[in-house]
mmCIF file of all heavy atoms in Angstrom:
data_model
loop_
_atom_site.group_PDB
_atom_site.id
_atom_site.type_symbol
_atom_site.label_atom_id
_atom_site.label_comp_id
_atom_site.label_asym_id
_atom_site.label_seq_id
_atom_site.Cartn_x
_atom_site.Cartn_y
_atom_site.Cartn_z
ATOM 1 N N LYS A 434 -141.251 35.409 -3.864
ATOM 2 C CA LYS A 434 -141.835 36.272 -2.848
ATOM 3 C C LYS A 434 -142.563 35.453 -1.765
ATOM 4 O O LYS A 434 -142.454 35.690 -0.593
ATOM 5 C CB LYS A 434 -142.769 37.296 -3.450
ATOM 6 C CG LYS A 434 -142.037 38.367 -4.302
ATOM 7 C CD LYS A 434 -143.110 39.325 -4.937
ATOM 8 C CE LYS A 434 -142.369 40.346 -5.791
ATOM 9 N NZ LYS A 434 -143.281 41.195 -6.490
ATOM 10 N N ALA A 435 -143.295 34.444 -2.211
ATOM 11 C CA ALA A 435 -143.993 33.579 -1.262
ATOM 12 C C ALA A 435 -142.984 32.765 -0.373
ATOM 13 O O ALA A 435 -143.258 32.615 0.799
ATOM 14 C CB ALA A 435 -144.915 32.621 -2.018
ATOM 15 N N VAL A 436 -141.923 32.248 -1.030
ATOM 16 C CA VAL A 436 -140.949 31.494 -0.233
ATOM 17 C C VAL A 436 -140.236 32.370 0.761
ATOM 18 O O VAL A 436 -140.034 31.997 1.926
ATOM 19 C CB VAL A 436 -139.876 30.833 -1.218
ATOM 20 C CG1 VAL A 436 -138.796 30.176 -0.399
ATOM 21 C CG2 VAL A 436 -140.592 29.871 -2.131
ATOM 22 N N HIS A 437 -139.923 33.583 0.353
ATOM 23 C CA HIS A 437 -139.191 34.509 1.234
ATOM 24 C C HIS A 437 -140.078 34.816 2.444
ATOM 25 O O HIS A 437 -139.614 34.817 3.590
ATOM 26 C CB HIS A 437 -138.960 35.820 0.500
ATOM 27 C CG HIS A 437 -138.088 36.787 1.240
ATOM 28 N ND1 HIS A 437 -138.575 37.554 2.320
ATOM 29 C CD2 HIS A 437 -136.775 37.126 1.189
ATOM 30 C CE1 HIS A 437 -137.670 38.314 2.826
ATOM 31 N NE2 HIS A 437 -136.525 38.041 2.182
ATOM 32 N N GLU A 438 -141.346 35.008 2.289
ATOM 33 C CA GLU A 438 -142.273 35.296 3.389
ATOM 34 C C GLU A 438 -142.347 34.167 4.327
ATOM 35 O O GLU A 438 -142.282 34.275 5.547
ATOM 36 C CB GLU A 438 -143.648 35.683 2.840
ATOM 37 C CG GLU A 438 -144.632 36.040 3.944
ATOM 38 C CD GLU A 438 -146.061 36.354 3.352
ATOM 39 O OE1 GLU A 438 -146.182 36.476 2.143
ATOM 40 O OE2 GLU A 438 -146.961 36.538 4.213
ATOM 41 N N ALA A 439 -142.457 32.887 3.788
ATOM 42 C CA ALA A 439 -142.520 31.688 4.620
ATOM 43 C C ALA A 439 -141.272 31.532 5.402
ATOM 44 O O ALA A 439 -141.334 31.164 6.609
ATOM 45 C CB ALA A 439 -142.897 30.491 3.711
ATOM 46 N N LEU A 440 -140.115 31.562 4.763
ATOM 47 C CA LEU A 440 -138.867 31.370 5.438
ATOM 48 C C LEU A 440 -138.577 32.434 6.510
ATOM 49 O O LEU A 440 -138.042 32.146 7.563
ATOM 50 C CB LEU A 440 -137.753 31.327 4.455
ATOM 51 C CG LEU A 440 -137.682 30.174 3.485
ATOM 52 C CD1 LEU A 440 -136.581 30.296 2.482
ATOM 53 C CD2 LEU A 440 -137.561 28.827 4.187
ATOM 54 N N ALA A 441 -138.992 33.636 6.270
ATOM 55 C CA ALA A 441 -138.785 34.735 7.202
ATOM 56 C C ALA A 441 -139.644 34.465 8.434
ATOM 57 O O ALA A 441 -139.250 34.970 9.517
ATOM 58 C CB ALA A 441 -139.178 36.094 6.510
ATOM 59 N N GLN A 442 -140.734 33.761 8.323
ATOM 60 C CA GLN A 442 -141.620 33.511 9.509
ATOM 61 C C GLN A 442 -141.276 32.218 10.224
ATOM 62 O O GLN A 442 -141.762 31.984 11.326
ATOM 63 C CB GLN A 442 -143.076 33.434 9.029
ATOM 64 C CG GLN A 442 -143.622 34.754 8.507
ATOM 65 C CD GLN A 442 -145.021 34.640 7.988
ATOM 66 O OE1 GLN A 442 -145.573 33.578 7.929
ATOM 67 N NE2 GLN A 442 -145.572 35.780 7.425
ATOM 68 N N ALA A 443 -140.343 31.451 9.650
ATOM 69 C CA ALA A 443 -139.937 30.167 10.234
ATOM 70 C C ALA A 443 -138.971 30.443 11.426
ATOM 71 O O ALA A 443 -137.862 30.866 11.244
ATOM 72 C CB ALA A 443 -139.273 29.277 9.217
ATOM 73 N N THR A 444 -139.402 30.197 12.643
ATOM 74 C CA THR A 444 -138.619 30.465 13.825
ATOM 75 C C THR A 444 -137.437 29.525 14.007
ATOM 76 O O THR A 444 -136.496 29.883 14.838
ATOM 77 C CB THR A 444 -139.537 30.450 15.107
ATOM 78 O OG1 THR A 444 -140.124 29.169 15.187
ATOM 79 C CG2 THR A 444 -140.595 31.474 15.035
ATOM 80 N N ASP A 445 -137.514 28.276 13.386
ATOM 81 C CA ASP A 445 -136.416 27.379 13.632
ATOM 82 C C ASP A 445 -135.355 27.332 12.481
ATOM 83 O O ASP A 445 -134.553 26.478 12.357
ATOM 84 C CB ASP A 445 -136.949 25.972 13.829
ATOM 85 C CG ASP A 445 -137.814 25.543 12.661
ATOM 86 O OD1 ASP A 445 -138.261 26.408 11.846
ATOM 87 O OD2 ASP A 445 -138.159 24.311 12.554
ATOM 88 N N LEU A 446 -135.436 28.419 11.641
ATOM 89 C CA LEU A 446 -134.489 28.518 10.549
ATOM 90 C C LEU A 446 -133.763 29.887 10.672
ATOM 91 O O LEU A 446 -134.441 30.908 10.922
ATOM 92 C CB LEU A 446 -135.183 28.407 9.213
ATOM 93 C CG LEU A 446 -135.863 27.106 8.766
ATOM 94 C CD1 LEU A 446 -136.638 27.310 7.439
ATOM 95 C CD2 LEU A 446 -134.828 25.979 8.710
ATOM 96 N N ASN A 447 -132.422 29.826 10.452
ATOM 97 C CA ASN A 447 -131.641 31.063 10.443
ATOM 98 C C ASN A 447 -131.633 31.655 9.009
ATOM 99 O O ASN A 447 -130.642 31.668 8.300
ATOM 100 C CB ASN A 447 -130.271 30.763 10.933
ATOM 101 C CG ASN A 447 -129.365 31.985 11.024
ATOM 102 O OD1 ASN A 447 -129.868 33.076 10.961
ATOM 103 N ND2 ASN A 447 -128.046 31.771 11.107
ATOM 104 N N PHE A 448 -132.818 32.229 8.656
ATOM 105 C CA PHE A 448 -132.976 32.744 7.304
ATOM 106 C C PHE A 448 -132.418 34.155 7.155
ATOM 107 O O PHE A 448 -132.801 35.075 7.982
ATOM 108 C CB PHE A 448 -134.433 32.760 6.932
ATOM 109 C CG PHE A 448 -134.721 33.235 5.535
ATOM 110 C CD1 PHE A 448 -134.119 32.718 4.422
ATOM 111 C CD2 PHE A 448 -135.572 34.369 5.342
ATOM 112 C CE1 PHE A 448 -134.368 33.192 3.156
ATOM 113 C CE2 PHE A 448 -135.893 34.796 4.061
ATOM 114 C CZ PHE A 448 -135.261 34.243 2.972
ATOM 115 N N ILE A 449 -131.436 34.354 6.255
ATOM 116 C CA ILE A 449 -130.827 35.624 6.133
ATOM 117 C C ILE A 449 -131.310 36.478 5.038
ATOM 118 O O ILE A 449 -130.855 37.610 4.748
ATOM 119 C CB ILE A 449 -129.256 35.500 6.006
ATOM 120 C CG1 ILE A 449 -128.936 34.700 4.714
ATOM 121 C CG2 ILE A 449 -128.694 34.776 7.241
ATOM 122 C CD1 ILE A 449 -127.439 34.694 4.377
ATOM 123 N N GLY A 450 -132.326 35.960 4.261
ATOM 124 C CA GLY A 450 -132.932 36.718 3.112
ATOM 125 C C GLY A 450 -132.479 36.229 1.776
ATOM 126 O O GLY A 450 -131.860 35.164 1.666
ATOM 127 N N ASN A 451 -132.717 37.057 0.807
ATOM 128 C CA ASN A 451 -132.289 36.738 -0.598
ATOM 129 C C ASN A 451 -130.772 36.874 -0.720
ATOM 130 O O ASN A 451 -130.184 37.778 -0.161
ATOM 131 C CB ASN A 451 -132.949 37.702 -1.502
ATOM 132 C CG ASN A 451 -134.473 37.444 -1.653
ATOM 133 O OD1 ASN A 451 -134.909 36.350 -1.547
ATOM 134 N ND2 ASN A 451 -135.355 38.501 -1.846
ATOM 135 N N VAL A 452 -130.218 36.094 -1.651
ATOM 136 C CA VAL A 452 -128.781 36.208 -1.975
ATOM 137 C C VAL A 452 -128.684 36.139 -3.491
ATOM 138 O O VAL A 452 -129.506 35.545 -4.107
ATOM 139 C CB VAL A 452 -127.997 35.086 -1.318
ATOM 140 C CG1 VAL A 452 -128.039 35.139 0.170
ATOM 141 C CG2 VAL A 452 -128.440 33.703 -1.758
ATOM 142 N N GLU A 453 -127.664 36.792 -4.014
ATOM 143 C CA GLU A 453 -127.391 36.843 -5.378
ATOM 144 C C GLU A 453 -126.283 35.859 -5.839
ATOM 145 O O GLU A 453 -125.386 35.543 -5.015
ATOM 146 C CB GLU A 453 -126.979 38.251 -5.824
ATOM 147 C CG GLU A 453 -128.108 39.276 -5.635
ATOM 148 C CD GLU A 453 -127.667 40.647 -6.105
ATOM 149 O OE1 GLU A 453 -126.690 41.215 -5.539
ATOM 150 O OE2 GLU A 453 -128.287 41.229 -7.070
ATOM 151 N N SER A 454 -126.348 35.384 -7.044
ATOM 152 C CA SER A 454 -125.385 34.340 -7.477
ATOM 153 C C SER A 454 -123.969 34.814 -7.482
ATOM 154 O O SER A 454 -123.038 33.986 -7.279
ATOM 155 C CB SER A 454 -125.788 33.817 -8.853
ATOM 156 O OG SER A 454 -125.840 34.927 -9.796
ATOM 157 N N ARG A 455 -123.785 36.130 -7.659
ATOM 158 C CA ARG A 455 -122.349 36.648 -7.677
ATOM 159 C C ARG A 455 -121.708 36.511 -6.389
ATOM 160 O O ARG A 455 -120.497 36.637 -6.256
ATOM 161 C CB ARG A 455 -122.341 38.049 -8.236
ATOM 162 C CG ARG A 455 -123.073 39.061 -7.291
ATOM 163 C CD ARG A 455 -122.969 40.461 -7.896
ATOM 164 N NE ARG A 455 -123.763 41.406 -7.060
ATOM 165 C CZ ARG A 455 -123.842 42.674 -7.458
ATOM 166 N NH1 ARG A 455 -123.360 43.141 -8.584
ATOM 167 N NH2 ARG A 455 -124.496 43.508 -6.614
ATOM 168 N N GLU A 456 -122.491 36.383 -5.274
ATOM 169 C CA GLU A 456 -121.931 36.295 -3.947
ATOM 170 C C GLU A 456 -121.759 34.907 -3.454
ATOM 171 O O GLU A 456 -121.253 34.752 -2.329
ATOM 172 C CB GLU A 456 -122.792 37.138 -2.967
ATOM 173 C CG GLU A 456 -122.755 38.674 -3.232
ATOM 174 C CD GLU A 456 -121.380 39.289 -3.149
ATOM 175 O OE1 GLU A 456 -120.628 38.806 -2.328
ATOM 176 O OE2 GLU A 456 -121.158 40.263 -3.862
ATOM 177 N N LEU A 457 -122.143 33.895 -4.132
ATOM 178 C CA LEU A 457 -122.151 32.526 -3.656
ATOM 179 C C LEU A 457 -120.731 32.079 -3.208
ATOM 180 O O LEU A 457 -120.558 31.546 -2.126
ATOM 181 C CB LEU A 457 -122.726 31.553 -4.678
ATOM 182 C CG LEU A 457 -124.227 31.789 -5.037
ATOM 183 C CD1 LEU A 457 -124.670 30.743 -6.002
ATOM 184 C CD2 LEU A 457 -125.097 31.788 -3.769
#
């Protein structure tokens, strides 16, 4: 949860959110 919040706020990263292993 902490990592998700930090990555979502990073303006220089194209963060798409959480992903599940079955979709890799």
Side-chain angles (χ1 to χ4, degrees):
K434 290 177 182 178
V436 176
H437 187 285
E438 182 178 354
L440 293 177
Q442 294 175 359
T444 57
D445 56 346
L446 294 175
N447 182 16
F448 180 56
I449 62 170
N451 292 325
V452 297
E453 295 180 298
S454 58
R455 65 181 178 182
E456 295 297 329
L457 296 183

